[in-house]
Amino acid sequence: MTDLAMMPQLLASGIMMGCVYGLLALCFYVVHAGTGIINFAQGDFVVLGLIAIWTCIVAFHMPLLLAIPLTVLATGLTVGLLERLLIAPARSREPSVQLLITLALGILIRGLIQLLWGSQPQSVPSFSGDAPIHLAGAAILPQALWIVGGTMVILAVLHFVFTRTLFGLALRGAAGDREGARVIGLNAGLISFYAFGLSALISGAAAAVIAPVISANPLIGLSLSLKGFAGAILGGIDRPQTAVLGGVFIGILETFVAGLISSDYQNMFVFGVLMLVIVIRPAGLLGKRT
Amino acid sequence: MGKLELGIYLALPVVAGFLLQGNDYALTILAFMLIYGVLAMATTICTGHAGQVTLAQAGFFGIGAYAAVLVTLDLDLPFVFGFIASLVVSGAVGYALGVPILRVKGHFLGLITLAFTQVVYEVALHWESLTGGFNGLFGMTKPVLPIPGIEPLYSFILILTAFWFAVLLAADNLVHSRYGRAMHMLKVTEQGAQACGINVSRYKSDAFALSAALCGGAGAFYGHFIGYIGPDSFTIDVSIAAIAMAIVGGIGDLRGAILGSVLLTFLNEPLRNHPLYQPVMYGAVILLALIVLPEGIVPSVLRIARPRPPA
């Protein structure tokens, strides 16, 4: 196959992975906006969701209509609990301590999953079969439509949260001016709880739709974190829209690099892009100049 | 630190190593404590003292190890040249990397330095002609002193202790010098430092490059001690261990870095035989320590031991 003929195929796969990275970038935005923390355990939240959806679909043979909400709920509740126990006590500590706490939280989640569930990746069946749909020269998995559709639904819900709910407005306000938010009496502890909870709900939903593609792999967390973070920085972590677009771009970029050059150096490529953005435009390609 | 206190720190590994001669397992653990001690002190300088959060230590540790091993294996030179090469190469990479990435702060810097460690891993894995790829490099021997009557492993511990103590002495002097106080100002208030006429970006790069060079030196000792290096020797776990030791022991406190490296190496030893429980226990201990002793072990204990006089 010539390089040109591969384009539609690569673009289709890239958009699929990009949706996942976009949602992860959004999680980074939510937690950072609410607390100022960059959550190193972010990818492991998604892994929690992957394990939950595997449990629901493969172990208990639940219908999708039950499995997806349960996955989202389970991830959200687990993370909410962890936030109260471990993150909340460190809210006003210096950055290196908060960083070590989310790092250690990631290690703990990964370790617990390996201990209780095993470390071998387990496959999750596709939601609606594996017969590819041929479209414009690309073979698209039906699951890709679930992923893109799921992302659209999540973004629509979040748009509502950010623009219509008190929490969303408070979160965006806190992101803009943390000191000011405290002065007008926003409860920083509550915002932190909701921010981590919301990021976990998004992670759970993303995990549910992506599980058939990347399978329930307990060790994938760190790599997901890095890609999502790269997306958030690339687009600009100050606004949700730019963070998501950055994530989508990283997905497309990664797929093209893997398809046209080599998949050996994927992380290096993402890192190179990060460095470039930091040097040229620290606020992100789409971010506001500061 | 006073002269007596420093003397005690120097005497501890020398005497412990002497008494443990014959017990290779215990001497190996002691060597790991010293190697990780250097990594933890390097992290204390960069993160605890100058406030630049870093997870790049494993990357520099690896770069130093490869540089040293290539010099001793391929050029057939003695260990001391490999050691110097490790300091120079890691320090230079640290300086070159520091200039662009130190524009970002806090958690962002943490994630970017973590990405750097991942890149070093990938390069070590795929640049086979230089690094031996997945199989790594092996065949190097540890440096020993030709002193009659002592074991070779103990004489290696003596050389390693010399490096470890030099790092401690230099770091202690740095922290209390005018130069080091300027570095500390970066952590306390960057704008304030700028207002005082401190060249912020230069001091940041210096702190980062210095800690990178020290990690590289530790890597040179590690590679020649184990006799094998490969990509898996330099994963992100090493960076996490380094920052965990520095912070759990006491943020910005060199005594804390030493205590942290001793305690966490000691804790990790029985866990290594139970790989299934290792990550859970490790993560749980770090989290517990951070929540129970918010400032790290040494400052918290000192506060209890030496209550402030009433105003």
Side-chain angles (χ1 to χ4, degrees):
Chain A
M1 200 159 32
T2 62
D3 284 356
L4 205 62
M6 275 169 75
M7 290 294 170
Q9 183 66 57
L10 289 176
L11 193 65
S13 314
I15 290 174
M16 181 176 78
M17 283 319 285
C19 285
V20 179
Y21 299 154
L23 290 177
L24 272 159
L26 196 62
C27 293
F28 277 110
Y29 162 79
V30 171
V31 170
H32 181 255
T35 63
I37 292 177
I38 292 291
N39 177 16
F40 280 68
Q42 183 56 61
D44 296 298
F45 290 179
V46 176
V47 173
L48 280 177
L50 291 174
I51 305 298
I53 191 86
W54 180 87
T55 309
C56 290
I57 291 186
V58 180
F60 290 109
H61 305 288
M62 288 182 194
L64 281 181
L65 221 53
L66 189 61
I68 296 177
L70 262 183
T71 299
V72 174
L73 212 65
T75 316
L77 284 178
T78 314
V79 172
L81 188 70
L82 289 172
E83 194 276 340
R84 284 293 91 180
L85 284 175
L86 302 170
I87 313 250
R91 212 177 52 243
S92 50
R93 308 275 298 285
E94 65 174 83
S96 59
V97 176
Q98 294 176 335
L99 173 142
L100 186 59
I101 284 184
T102 58
L103 263 178
L105 179 61
I107 296 177
L108 189 72
I109 293 176
R110 223 170 299 149
L112 278 175
I113 289 172
Q114 286 183 62
L115 189 65
L116 303 173
W117 190 80
S119 46
Q120 289 305 314
Q122 304 284 346
S123 62
V124 175
S126 299
F127 292 176
S128 37
D130 287 315
I133 304 159
H134 292 277
L135 189 78
I140 296 166
L141 290 174
Q143 191 64 31
L145 299 180
W146 276 97
I147 293 173
V148 176
T151 305
M152 295 301 156
V153 173
I154 296 170
L155 290 181
V157 172
L158 281 175
H159 182 73
F160 176 79
V161 171
F162 285 145
T163 52
R164 294 278 188 278
T165 66
L166 188 62
F167 161 70
L169 295 174
L171 186 84
R172 282 164 61 210
D177 185 351
R178 209 170 304 285
E179 294 289 309
R182 206 167 310 167
V183 169
I184 62 163
L186 291 183
N187 183 337
L190 207 59
I191 290 187
S192 165
F193 176 68
Y194 279 131
F196 271 93
L198 181 62
S199 85
L201 295 179
I202 304 171
S203 305
V209 288
I210 193 72
V213 177
I214 60 175
S215 71
N217 180 354
L219 300 177
I220 206 171
L222 196 64
S223 129
L224 287 177
S225 286
L226 275 179
K227 307 268 170 59
F229 173 72
I233 291 295
L234 185 71
I237 199 169
D238 298 328
R239 281 181 296 166
Q241 303 92 324
T242 55
V244 173
L245 284 176
V248 174
F249 186 71
I250 287 283
I252 296 172
L253 201 68
E254 179 197 68
T255 317
F256 271 79
V257 170
L260 300 179
I261 305 167
S262 156
S263 63
D264 283 351
Y265 289 93
Q266 276 188 14
N267 277 329
M268 189 179 228
F269 207 79
V270 171
F271 179 70
V273 170
L274 264 184
M275 290 280 280
L276 217 62
V277 171
I278 288 165
V279 173
I280 300 169
R281 287 204 56 169
L285 287 182
L286 307 168
K288 293 177 205 133
R289 280 177 194 277
T290 45
Chain B
M1 286 182 217
K3 285 207 175 80
L4 178 68
E5 192 182 353
L6 284 168
I8 292 173
Y9 292 143
L10 176 62
L12 277 176
V14 173
V15 173
F18 184 77
L19 295 176
L20 290 170
Q21 276 191 93
N23 186 347
D24 283 3
Y25 178 61
L27 284 181
T28 304
I29 296 177
L30 180 60
F32 274 118
M33 285 174 179
L34 294 170
I35 289 172
Y36 270 104
V38 172
L39 292 179
M41 284 190 273
T43 311
T44 293
I45 294 173
C46 189
T47 303
H49 188 64
Q52 308 305 308
V53 180
T54 175
L55 289 173
Q57 309 301 43
F60 295 124
F61 187 57
I63 289 173
Y66 277 106
V69 167
L70 287 171
V71 166
T72 55
L73 275 189
D74 286 7
L75 304 179
D76 216 13
L77 289 168
F79 174 76
V80 60
F81 290 98
F83 174 66
I84 293 169
S86 72
L87 294 177
V88 172
V89 174
S90 287
V93 174
Y95 203 85
L97 183 73
V99 171
I101 71 168
L102 289 168
R103 288 169 165 219
V104 289
K105 291 190 194 101
H107 299 117
F108 292 90
L109 188 57
L111 250 172
I112 287 162
T113 47
L114 187 150
F116 166 75
T117 294
Q118 294 286 92
V119 168
V120 172
Y121 174 84
E122 284 191 353
V123 172
L125 192 60
H126 296 301
W127 193 358
E128 292 185 4
S129 57
L130 189 75
T131 65
F134 182 74
N135 293 325
L137 299 169
F138 40 85
M140 49 283 198
T141 51
K142 55 180 168 293
V144 290
L145 294 170
I147 303 174
I150 62 168
E151 276 187 26
L153 188 54
Y154 176 53
S155 73
F156 169 76
I157 297 271
L158 288 179
I159 302 175
L160 177 55
T161 302
F163 172 54
W164 175 84
F165 188 67
V167 172
L168 174 62
L169 208 58
D172 187 46
N173 274 325
L174 173 80
V175 169
H176 295 106
S177 69
R178 181 190 153 87
Y179 183 78
R181 282 195 297 274
M183 232 172 221
H184 189 53
M185 190 98 175
L186 299 178
K187 178 181 178 176
V188 182
T189 155
E190 208 174 303
Q191 277 151 341
Q194 215 146 17
C196 294
I198 292 169
N199 186 340
V200 170
S201 57
R202 205 197 99 199
Y203 277 87
K204 274 189 190 177
S205 309
D206 284 2
F208 196 71
L210 177 67
S211 105
L214 297 180
C215 291
F221 274 96
Y222 174 84
H224 288 83
F225 174 53
I226 302 291
Y228 160 82
I229 53 170
D232 285 334
S233 319
F234 311 109
T235 57
I236 180 66
D237 294 340
V238 176
S239 291
I240 296 173
I243 197 166
M245 286 165 180
I247 289 180
V248 169
I251 309 160
D253 190 315
L254 288 166
R255 297 179 189 98
I258 296 171
L259 187 68
S261 61
V262 170
L263 287 181
L264 284 185
T265 310
F266 203 71
L267 168 81
N268 218 10
E269 212 34 55
L271 290 179
R272 280 206 315 183
N273 301 325
H274 304 278
L276 207 53
Y277 294 90
Q278 199 267 351
V280 181
M281 290 300 293
Y282 203 66
V285 165
I286 293 173
L287 286 169
L288 200 67
L290 287 176
I291 286 164
V292 177
L293 302 165
E295 288 155 78
I297 299 170
V298 171
S300 304
V301 170
L302 282 184
R303 175 171 295 176
I304 297 165
R306 258 188 261 156
R308 281 196 186 153

